[in-house]
Amino acid sequence: MASLAAMYVQPSSEPQRRPRRTPPARRVEVCSPIRITDTWPDDLPITTAEVRAVEAWLGEVLDEVFGPRL
């Protein structure tokens, strides 16, 4: 009995080109400099629930970047 992959995947002698998903980038002229302002407070309050969510989703990555928790 043939495998499922053999039944659905047809080998081709020519490589297939994948269709472009995004349009090519275009150059944009900026007439004036962009001004960036920072209106965030110096101390940004973060709740315990937010810290737990970040640790749950990014805990392993943060441990790799910053080292293990103390």
Side-chain angles (χ1 to χ4, degrees), residues 7-67:
M7 291 172 34
Y8 291 103
V9 177
Q10 300 297 320
S12 174
S13 60
E14 296 180 20
Q16 294 181 352
R17 292 180 59 109
R18 291 185 178 190
R20 187 179 200 116
R21 293 183 181 181
T22 58
R26 61 186 173 88
R27 190 174 199 111
V28 177
E29 296 294 326
V30 178
C31 298
S32 62
I34 298 172
R35 191 174 90 184
I36 300 173
T37 58
D38 177 11
T39 58
W40 289 83
D42 289 337
D43 292 328
L44 187 63
I46 299 175
T47 66
T48 304
E50 291 170 321
V51 171
R52 287 185 183 147
V54 169
E55 287 178 345
W57 286 96
L58 301 173
E60 291 180 19
V61 174
L62 294 173
D63 288 344
E64 287 180 22
V65 172
F66 297 114

